[in-house]
Amino acid sequence: QVLAGDEIYFFRAGKYDFMYPPPCALFLTGASLLGQGGLIFLLVAINSVAWFYSAKLSAVLATGGRGTTNRWLYFVPSLLVIVYIWSSYHLGQPNLVLLALMLGAFVALRAKREIVGGGLIAVAAAIKAFPVLAIIYLVYRRYWKAAVSLVATLVFLILILPAPFRGFERVWGDLEKWSVGMLKYSEATVGQRPMRSYTWKNQSLIGVSNRLLRHVDADAASAPHQPIYVNFADLRFPVVNGIIFSVALALGMLFIAAMPRRDMRTADSDAIEFGLLLLLMLIVTPLSFGYFYSWLMLPFAVITQRVLVKKVSSILWWCVPALALLAVGLIFPRGAQLYGNTFFASLLLFIGLSIELLRFRQQRGETQLLGNFNPVS
């Protein structure tokens, strides 16, 4: 459609036929010249490279770059999310690519290469919009160059890069159509997902809250089917939104409270912090389907590393039940996800890693206090 100069965003069966941001359509344009077979081969190859680098960069971050030769550090995190990795191949989803880009950005931030880090996050957001949420973290952590780089790169990818192919007027129209169609949230739908927004497939805070607290069909995407309701209450939509906002705010405040000061940060604390950021993004993004959770690779790499160096403390008390919830989803995939097993597993991991980072912050503060104490003889 791009090569033919046609519209990218048009309705088919009551929803947009293509839902990704405009730059993603341009990225796929060149690949489509290879034909269907060539396109499939290229995308599978890109996905496989992204998997390799996601495992490698997760290990690098988890160890702070201090020797990542332990095979368990590569094997265990991938094994624990292998179902979601398989889904990315099966459904042709780019979330492993997004993960590799985000992890590359974190490594760049650790190396004080903020412009590169912001640019990598922008490329991820140009493929699938939700990684742009990371800009809040960049601003809070005062990664000013990274934040500016993110915005500038997005502007280039959205408005400037497509202009020679589609003209500025059409490029602006593409952005307007995508924004109007995708950036909406109502009682019936999130974006262009009217039949899936509040079903068992959406494991985000918004999806789980709406189907557990409102009388909505939790399996509306299946046809024909008998409606399935799993709500414990039947609250009004504004009340549910108030609860969602409160929970999101509480999680954000916990994240901020756990963050160590700039002078207290280490490679180990940054690994936990970046893992928490990925978990928070998975939880609060409006649509979070199963394949999104390949992003759990970094949190599991952090936990695996702490087990290997015998710094597990209380993190296993949160990790074990989280793994149990994910395992239930293997046995009862639809039944478990109806009640948000993946969401609640991510929530447990978030709480556990937050406590771990809070403990680190406390210990680091005590060490600095002792180091600054000079008794008078």
Side-chain angles (χ1 to χ4, degrees):
Q1 291 168 220
V2 172
L3 290 172
D6 295 337
E7 292 292 336
I8 299 175
Y9 301 102
F10 59 89
F11 285 97
R12 180 182 298 178
K15 62 183 181 180
Y16 278 173
D17 188 58
F18 183 77
M19 302 183 193
Y20 292 79
C24 189
L26 193 64
F27 295 159
L28 291 170
T29 300
S32 70
L33 293 172
L34 301 174
Q36 187 179 42
L39 174 67
I40 292 171
F41 178 83
L42 177 63
L43 295 184
V44 168
I46 291 173
N47 212 45
S48 299
V49 171
W51 181 5
F52 172 81
Y53 276 101
S54 294
K56 181 178 178 61
L57 294 176
S58 292
V60 168
L61 288 167
T63 61
R66 302 184 305 273
T68 56
T69 56
N70 193 313
R71 294 179 182 178
W72 290 108
L73 197 55
Y74 295 92
F75 178 71
V76 171
S78 285
L79 178 64
L80 294 177
V81 298
I82 194 67
V83 172
Y84 311 121
I85 292 172
W86 175 82
S87 293
S88 72
Y89 283 93
H90 178 221
L91 300 174
Q93 289 293 335
N95 289 71
L96 272 176
V97 176
L98 305 184
L99 175 61
L101 290 168
M102 294 296 295
L103 295 176
F106 297 155
V107 171
L109 292 176
R110 279 289 303 161
K112 302 187 185 304
R113 300 172 64 185
E114 293 188 31
I115 295 176
V116 174
L120 290 174
I121 296 173
V123 173
I127 296 172
K128 208 164 191 175
F130 78 96
V132 78
L133 293 171
I135 195 171
I136 301 173
Y137 170 80
L138 297 179
V139 170
Y140 182 81
R141 269 302 191 189
R142 298 182 181 179
Y143 286 121
W144 303 119
K145 292 180 182 178
V148 172
S149 174
L150 192 162
V151 173
T153 305
L154 265 183
V155 170
F156 172 78
L157 292 174
I158 293 173
L159 298 177
I160 299 175
L161 183 63
F165 304 96
R166 294 180 64 78
F168 184 77
E169 184 176 349
R170 171 159 279 189
V171 167
W172 186 258
D174 292 338
L175 179 60
E176 283 187 325
K177 286 185 177 180
W178 179 83
S179 301
V180 170
M182 295 303 297
L183 303 182
K184 65 180 182 180
Y185 172 50
S186 68
E187 294 184 51
T189 185
V190 177
Q192 292 292 310
R193 292 290 191 179
M195 301 302 291
R196 290 190 179 184
S197 297
Y198 306 129
T199 66
W200 59 275
K201 293 185 178 182
N202 186 5
Q203 293 292 307
S204 71
L205 173 61
I206 286 177
V208 173
S209 297
N210 272 279
R211 68 174 172 270
L212 293 185
L213 299 177
R214 291 174 57 217
H215 192 65
V216 296
D217 187 355
D219 194 26
S222 300
H225 79 291
Q226 290 291 329
I228 297 177
Y229 301 100
V230 294
N231 55 301
F232 297 103
D234 189 11
L235 304 179
R236 294 184 301 110
F237 186 60
V239 176
V240 174
N241 286 330
I243 294 172
I244 291 171
F245 178 79
S246 299
V247 172
L249 183 62
L251 294 177
M253 292 176 66
L254 175 59
F255 185 33
I256 291 172
M259 286 184 188
R261 296 193 316 267
R262 182 184 294 270
D263 61 332
M264 296 170 59
R265 294 173 66 179
T266 66
D268 289 338
S269 70
D270 277 352
I272 300 174
E273 190 172 303
F274 293 143
L276 284 170
L277 176 60
L278 294 185
L279 285 167
L280 189 60
M281 291 171 67
L282 289 174
I283 289 171
V284 303
T285 188
L287 294 170
S288 192
F289 300 122
Y291 44 81
F292 280 55
Y293 289 86
S294 59
W295 281 30
L296 295 180
M297 194 182 297
L298 177 59
F300 281 136
V302 171
I303 295 169
T304 302
Q305 170 65 7
R306 299 188 79 77
V307 171
L308 290 173
V309 299
K310 298 180 181 180
K311 291 184 179 179
V312 293
S313 60
S314 64
I315 188 64
L316 289 183
W317 291 105
W318 300 92
C319 183
V320 171
L323 287 173
L325 282 174
L326 295 176
V328 170
L330 297 176
I331 304 170
F332 309 104
R334 183 172 302 189
Q337 291 182 80
L338 279 168
Y339 293 95
N341 72 307
T342 315
F343 164 78
F344 286 111
S346 300
L347 186 61
L348 288 173
L349 291 174
F350 183 85
I351 295 172
L353 286 173
S354 295
I355 293 173
E356 194 75 5
L357 194 56
L358 281 166
R359 182 176 288 108
F360 166 87
R361 178 176 176 170
Q362 181 181 7
Q363 292 173 348
R364 191 75 172 176
E366 292 173 353
T367 301
Q368 287 186 348
L369 184 63
L370 289 173
N372 293 330
F373 178 69
N374 295 312
V376 178
S377 57

